[in-house]
Amino acid sequence: MNKKEYIEEADNCLLHVYNRFPVIFDYGKGVYLYDELDEKYLDFASGIGVMAFGYGNEDYEAALTTQLKRITHTSNLYYHVPMIEAAQKLTKASGMDKVFFTNSGAEAIEGALKTAKKYAYTKKGPGDYEIIAMENSFHGRTVGSLSVTGTEHYREPFYPLMAGVKFATFNDFGSVLANLSDNTCAIIMETVQGEGGLYPADETFLKKVRELCDEEDILLILDEVQCGMGRTGSMYAFQQYGIKPDVLTTAKALGNGVPIGAFAVTDKVAQSSLEPGDHGTTYGGNPLCTAAVSQVFDMFEDYKLIDHVKEITPYLEQVLDNLVNKYDFITERRGMGLMQGLVLTIPVKEVVSKALLEQHLVVLSAGSDVLRLLPPLVINEQDIDLFKEKIEKVFEQFV
Ligand SMILES: *Cc1c(COP(=O)(O)O)cnc(C)c1O
């Protein structure tokens, strides 16, 4: 079949929930993707922040191949070494104490929400416990994670969602207080809002929310599914704020391409929340996926990848700031580390499409007006120079 036939066949057999770009990616190497005709694309999206090490990494492939040949699945009724090692490395890197592996980011959120409810139930008894979430947030597409997602057009067709969720304005502590009640069991937010448009939490805001949670004995859930795993210049973004969550969710780059997420809790939370019988998953944390996690953490150390992110970030920021200065239709740069956005007054969807189809540059959008960049964490200065050259060819069309 040729490309046109494949795309027609996709429309025949795949549920139409994505308006996909007419591109068929075939394989990848480093920070480049290749389509079915072997044409090369510079990737500044990394499969939505997943492919931290880029494509075709030999160390990663070797570790997965070894595990693939050994065993891929056992269920969670038994122990296996890859999960134990992955959990050890995740707790060490995050400072959290106990981990539960899931198959996705949304499932990590589900687990976090159940943890918060069970914590309140254990401490205070049965109750209609409430959760404070943030406007403009994104936590996933399952019913629970959608219930705490603060974007109305994702939610509206699916009402009634989970009861007891209140939305506060992100970075507005007064708004959080206004939503607090005797029934509140948790406050959930992204440390850096991703899909909503690259808004980092303010340090004073996050510290005040942390204090409030301590005073009220309610749980702070930080969703680092997108901003975690080195992207902001620390393994987890909260580590730059001098605070720690009670529950952390992580996914996307955690497996560098195999489907895995996790929620992690402190000992304090573990002692008063989920117990045997309360939660489970058939695949979650299977040997193949946790071998990937384990290898990912090793590679972070071997490649000194966090140091690299810290070193390369100012270069990207400078290039982006120069673009902000040069083009009137770019009003602002926002973000942290290699999670950056340019706020545009020209149609962002058109920019993303032209970049992909005309310049072979893969970029993302966020919110309604943000051009979002989530390059593989291994990018170098030449990759950024090439990005600049390609994106300027798109921007010039709007001058
Ligand atoms: C992507 C994302 C999720 C959902 O993860 P899935 O793996 O798509 O279920 C949750 N929270 C944040 C912050 C995300 O960016």
Side-chain angles (χ1 to χ4, degrees), residues 363-378:
V363 289
L364 300 163
S365 62
S368 57
D369 60 354
V370 181
L371 180 70
R372 175 172 44 152
L373 309 174
L374 299 174
L377 303 185
V378 293

Side-chain angles (χ1 to χ4, degrees), residues 104-107 109 138-141 190 195 223 225-226 251-252:
S104 67
E107 279 174 274
I109 299 295
F138 181 83
H139 298 291
R141 304 299 200 140
E190 298 153 87
E195 303 294 319
D223 179 358
V225 167
Q226 188 163 151
K252 291 199 164 87

Side-chain angles (χ1 to χ4, degrees), residues 117-324:
K117 290 193 177 218
K118 183 73 196 291
Y119 182 83
Y121 177 92
T122 307
K123 288 243 163 153
K124 300 176 198 164
D128 293 332
Y129 291 108
E130 296 172 356
I131 290 166
I132 301 176
M134 299 298 141
E135 284 160 6
N136 200 45
S137 61
F138 181 83
H139 298 291
R141 304 299 200 140
T142 58
V143 174
S145 62
L146 190 59
S147 299
V148 289
T149 288
T151 305
E152 193 48 33
H153 71 265
Y154 290 151
R155 302 162 53 82
E156 201 198 294
F158 306 106
Y159 283 130
L161 292 167
M162 187 177 82
V165 180
K166 292 177 169 179
F167 287 96
T169 308
F170 190 52
N171 282 333
D172 179 347
F173 186 65
S175 161
V176 172
L177 276 184
N179 282 291
L180 189 74
S181 83
D182 290 341
N183 290 337
T184 307
C185 72
I187 301 174
I188 182 169
M189 70 179 84
E190 298 153 87
T191 316
V192 183
Q193 287 190 336
E195 303 294 319
L198 290 295
Y199 291 97
D202 291 341
E203 190 168 335
T204 45
F205 172 72
L206 197 46
K207 285 191 161 139
K208 280 186 184 168
V209 171
R210 175 69 274 175
E211 277 170 29
L212 180 70
C213 289
D214 290 337
E215 283 161 23
E216 303 285 327
D217 197 18
I218 60 181
L219 302 188
L220 174 59
I221 304 170
L222 288 182
D223 179 358
E224 297 222 5
V225 167
Q226 188 163 151
C227 64
M229 296 307 292
R231 184 147 294 276
T232 65
S234 51
M235 188 56 88
Y236 288 98
F238 73 78
Q239 291 164 332
Q240 295 176 51
Y241 287 81
I243 56 108
K244 196 169 128 180
D246 302 295
V247 185
L248 170 72
T249 59
T250 178
K252 291 199 164 87
L254 180 65
N256 195 61
V258 296
I260 188 160
F263 63 96
V265 304
T266 59
D267 275 330
K268 180 189 97 170
V269 174
Q271 278 153 21
S272 307
S273 59
L274 302 177
E275 295 174 295
D278 281 337
H279 201 54
T281 168
T282 301
Y283 294 135
N286 79 28
L288 185 68
C289 294
T290 45
V293 171
S294 195
Q295 178 65 14
V296 162
F297 280 113
D298 287 352
M299 283 161 54
F300 263 95
E301 288 198 1
D302 295 347
Y303 299 11
K304 299 191 169 46
L305 195 58
I306 305 264
D307 289 342
H308 174 72
V309 172
K310 281 194 280 203
E311 279 160 28
I312 198 80
T313 293
Y315 192 79
L316 178 63
E317 287 177 339
Q318 188 60 56
V319 163
L320 296 176
D321 287 341
N322 289 345
L323 293 172
V324 176

